[in-house]
Amino acid sequence: MQSTFQCHFRSPPEGLTDPQVYEAYGRYSTLFAEIEARLVYLRSAGQVEANICLIRSADPRRTDDPLQREGNTNRTAQTLYELLLANHRNVQPNDEDVVVGGGTLRRGCLTIGRETYRTVVLSQMDSIRASTLALLLRFAQQGGIILVDRAYPQRVDGMANPQAVSALTEVAPLMADDDAWKQALTTDVPPLFMLDGKNTETITAHLRSVEGGHTLWLSSGPVPAPNIIALHLADYSVRTALLDPVSGRTFVLRQEEDGSYRLAFTHAQMWVVCFGEFTRNFVFDGIYAVPYPRQAIAALEGAWSGKRLDPNALTLDCARCSQDDGITWSAPESVRDIFKQFSSPSHANRMVRLRYAAQVTDIPVVCRLAVHETQRYASITMNGQPVTFSTNDCFMCETLHTGDVAAFLKPGENEIELVLDGETATRAGHIQNIYLTGDFAVTTDPPPPSAPSPLPYPFARASIVKERTPSLGDLVPQGYPFYAGTFVLEATVDLPHIVRGMRYLLTFPSFQAAVLQVTVNGGTFFPLLSHPWETDISTALRSGRNTVRIELANTRYNQTNPHILNDSSYSVVPFGLFTPPVIVEVTDR
């Protein structure tokens, strides 16, 4: 059953909660939600155009199956499946139980559930079931196409049956190698589309039928460089359109002289090609043009100045624990491990004291302590002074309350003590990280030489210090290992000759962030949320001095994830612009 396809991507989803309190890139959460809604819609509109049913053995563990023998060099069903996908076919794998138990035949088609197939591929197997073989022979009599990979089955229901196997060989040609498969997929199973060009095997294709045509989802893998491919449709007379699921824009897709369509791909590029009469009602944002040769005209290598737009943080996820009113204390350990100790109801009648240690080198003017659900604690103190919290002043989310502790800080080690009853401690979420937030930087000590380094930045200890003006490069070692929020970097560049009518892109060769927001000479462009990480700045660029402002928003990974490793060292991931952005001049055809 086909469904009507509607191209109305610009309507934002309804019912979104306040985005800014849940994620570091909160001000962009609505855009991410819109992208997700588009992706779900495009992947579900209509139905899969599954033209090949791949049958695999229902008895993969049979001892007489050559695929299970030691030293076997035959192809598995999974490898065959990947080959068919590399040739951009919608393939549905089914084992013999599903095919025989749920399959029906009519007019040369095999129907299983909602999927109908004109072609059946039989993966290599030593023994085939008699019921499967009988179904395939009836399928062939009605005009269905059967292709067999590498070798015919040698047995039927585990017993030698040359006559039955011979009947299969008469109606199902053998595909001896990959070249035979490519030939058969072109001649015996004519596709609705084909892709030509470099690295096309890395592009995943998903074809769906909708009322009045088809949608073709094309997604590239980790190709090393921008790649231009040619899309060939079986019928070049159909109307076509190109959708960008990330930006929501719709383009006219024009044919080349040979009738094909050219599409450019870079890392993780996604396009949706629509073809058929249903595109007649589309509203287009422009004409798609493959970018032709580009030339770098300037790398923004000058001085950059930066500032954060959100409070910095020192994450504290290591504590000592006492269950005898502070008479004895455990060694410092991860709060995850402490919580595991309170999973038993035997702790319910005990008071629990937790002590977190925070190192302070330079006392900041603004510093607040953030603790989840402070009303559940008997007391919270900083260096012996009780902390007053406001449930209206939150950090990251509405349950993470904050209180001013700047006046209680001292140089060196500062002690934060939380007291709660054992019943509360046994509940999930009440022994966890706490945070010092405010206007400061965080410096880190290098780890011991023997410490493992599973992530890019391991360190043994963190301390609050004075904040310096950050610049280009990784922001983690510049004072922000636990930062979650938006950072602004700004620089100027002199461009003597900007040609009106030419296209200029700002590209980002190397960085780590969830969102990039570009502003050039006061003109702000659509946020960059995915590949390709570049934006057209032609309308704002001018000859002479140009001011470039980049906002980088990251996730809460460094701030909220457990950091303490088994050897008591920390580990976080990079964040920032690692190399200068580059301005390139693009010549379109």
Side-chain angles (χ1 to χ4, degrees):
M1 179 179 179
Q2 295 176 326
S3 66
T4 302
F5 185 92
Q6 298 178 348
C7 187
H8 56 140
F9 289 156
R10 293 166 191 81
S11 299
E14 298 179 357
L16 293 178
T17 57
D18 182 1
Q20 297 193 32
V21 297
Y22 293 107
E23 189 50 86
Y25 52 82
R27 58 179 58 87
Y28 304 101
S29 291
T30 300
L31 292 177
F32 279 103
E34 290 177 7
I35 292 173
E36 184 177 6
R38 285 193 288 266
L39 297 181
V40 171
Y41 174 65
L42 291 170
R43 296 286 288 192
S44 60
Q47 68 180 49
V48 178
E49 188 83 8
N51 51 7
I52 296 178
C53 175
L54 172 61
I55 300 180
R56 55 195 176 193
S57 174
D59 308 300
R61 298 183 181 179
R62 289 181 59 92
T63 56
D64 59 348
D65 191 334
L67 303 183
Q68 303 299 322
R69 295 176 185 170
E70 184 177 356
N72 168 61
T73 58
N74 296 328
R75 173 151 49 202
T76 65
Q78 177 63 29
T79 305
L80 176 59
Y81 175 65
E82 292 171 356
L83 170 68
L84 297 173
L85 289 181
N87 282 272
H88 309 115
R89 300 308 180 93
N90 282 2
V91 184
Q92 180 60 51
N94 292 290
D95 63 33
E96 294 177 88
D97 287 335
V98 173
V99 173
V100 175
T104 59
L105 297 177
R106 185 180 180 186
R107 298 179 181 177
C109 292
L110 169 64
T111 299
I112 303 175
R114 297 179 60 185
E115 306 296 341
T116 298
Y117 311 93
R118 293 187 177 274
T119 302
V120 168
V121 168
L122 189 63
S123 64
Q124 191 174 355
M125 60 182 72
D126 183 66
S127 178
I128 189 173
R129 292 185 177 181
S131 55
T132 306
L133 182 58
L135 180 70
L136 291 178
L137 294 177
R138 295 199 310 272
F139 178 65
Q141 290 174 356
Q142 294 183 14
I145 299 173
I146 305 173
L147 303 174
V148 180
D149 186 45
R150 297 292 179 96
Y152 294 103
Q154 297 302 304
R155 307 173 187 227
V156 178
D157 284 339
M159 304 294 292
N161 192 336
Q163 183 177 0
V165 174
S166 177
L168 179 63
T169 63
E170 293 177 1
V171 298
L174 187 69
M175 303 293 103
D177 52 34
D178 291 359
D179 289 338
W181 270 114
K182 293 178 181 179
Q183 180 64 30
L185 291 174
T186 302
T187 58
D188 299 338
V189 193
L192 285 176
F193 72 94
M194 293 183 65
L195 301 179
D196 285 333
K198 185 179 179 182
N199 298 326
T200 56
E201 69 279 0
T202 67
I203 296 177
T204 301
H206 182 73
L207 182 67
R208 302 185 72 87
S209 59
V210 297
E211 185 176 349
H214 293 82
T215 63
L216 174 61
W217 177 290
L218 298 174
S219 179
S220 67
V223 292
N227 184 28
I228 298 176
I229 62 102
L231 168 65
H232 301 271
L233 299 181
D235 182 2
Y236 285 126
S237 65
V238 296
R239 298 174 57 89
T240 59
L242 183 65
L243 309 181
D244 180 357
V246 175
S247 68
R249 292 180 295 175
T250 306
F251 301 97
V252 174
L253 191 57
R254 288 184 172 177
Q255 288 180 315
E256 301 294 319
E257 293 181 358
D258 61 357
S260 65
Y261 303 90
R262 297 291 193 270
L263 294 172
F265 286 88
T266 183
H267 295 70
Q269 179 76 56
M270 295 179 289
W271 294 114
V272 179
V273 180
C274 301
F275 52 99
E277 284 301 309
F278 76 106
T279 63
R280 187 178 297 276
N281 297 323
F282 281 18
V283 177
F284 295 98
D285 296 291
I287 300 174
Y288 175 75
V290 171
Y292 272 67
R294 54 175 66 191
Q295 178 182 1
I297 63 171
L300 279 64
E301 297 175 325
W304 285 79
S305 61
K307 66 177 181 179
R308 54 178 172 77
L309 300 185
D310 300 284
N312 198 10
L314 171 62
T315 300
L316 302 174
D317 54 5
C318 183
R320 295 186 296 151
C321 178
S322 174
Q323 298 181 61
D324 55 10
D325 202 25
I327 298 175
T328 60
W329 292 87
S330 70
E333 58 183 323
S334 167
V335 292
R336 293 178 304 167
D337 297 332
I338 295 175
F339 174 72
K340 292 177 183 178
Q341 302 172 20
F342 292 89
S343 59
S344 171
S346 62
H347 295 275
N349 297 323
R350 303 181 184 180
M351 294 299 292
V352 179
R353 292 178 180 268
L354 300 172
R355 283 184 176 174
Y356 298 76
Q359 297 294 324
V360 177
T361 302
D362 302 309
I363 297 177
V365 174
V366 177
C367 186
R368 302 184 71 84
L369 174 64
V371 179
H372 279 281
E373 298 185 346
T374 54
Q375 70 275 11
R376 297 187 179 274
Y377 293 88
S379 68
I380 301 176
T381 59
M382 163 70 80
N383 293 328
Q385 301 295 319
V387 182
T388 302
F389 289 87
S390 170
T391 56
N392 295 323
D393 192 348
C394 303
F395 175 67
M396 294 193 296
C397 70
E398 70 273 13
T399 64
L400 195 53
H401 308 147
T402 70
D404 189 359
V405 294
F408 305 148
L409 296 178
K410 64 180 182 179
E413 183 171 290
N414 292 255
E415 189 174 83
I416 304 165
E417 183 173 304
L418 281 61
V419 181
L420 67 164
D421 61 76
E423 182 179 356
T424 302
T426 60
R427 299 174 184 172
H430 290 101
I431 295 182
Q432 55 183 287
N433 300 348
I434 64 174
Y435 308 89
L436 289 177
T437 73
D439 298 337
F440 52 76
V442 176
T443 187
T444 62
D445 292 340
S450 59
S453 303
L455 291 175
Y457 283 100
F459 53 91
R461 191 179 66 163
S463 180
I464 291 177
V465 296
K466 291 180 180 180
E467 196 168 20
R468 295 176 175 83
T469 302
S471 185
L472 194 70
D474 192 354
L475 293 168
V476 167
Q478 297 186 60
Y480 307 95
F482 302 112
Y483 181 74
T486 301
F487 235 97
V488 175
L489 292 170
E490 190 171 295
T492 59
V493 58
D494 290 323
L495 300 172
H497 302 293
I498 294 299
V499 181
R500 290 300 165 197
M502 295 291 289
R503 291 182 60 216
Y504 296 92
L505 306 180
L506 185 62
T507 67
F508 297 88
S510 179
F511 71 96
Q512 181 67 40
V515 183
L516 295 178
Q517 175 82 68
V518 176
T519 301
V520 178
N521 297 325
T524 301
F525 299 90
F526 191 84
L528 300 181
L529 309 173
S530 71
H531 292 282
W533 296 99
E534 59 187 30
T535 187
D536 191 329
I537 59 173
S538 306
T539 56
L541 210 60
R542 61 194 179 207
S543 298
R545 174 154 293 192
N546 293 262
T547 300
V548 179
R549 172 188 169 104
I550 312 295
E551 290 188 17
L552 300 90
N554 66 353
T555 69
R556 290 170 59 185
Y557 179 89
N558 280 351
Q559 192 169 87
T560 61
N561 273 18
H563 303 93
I564 296 294
L565 305 178
N566 292 333
D567 63 350
S568 297
S569 67
Y570 286 78
S571 189
V572 294
V573 297
F575 167 53
L577 294 181
F578 308 145
T579 60
V582 178
I583 298 176
V584 298
E585 186 180 75
V586 180
T587 302
D588 289 333
R589 185 180 51 173

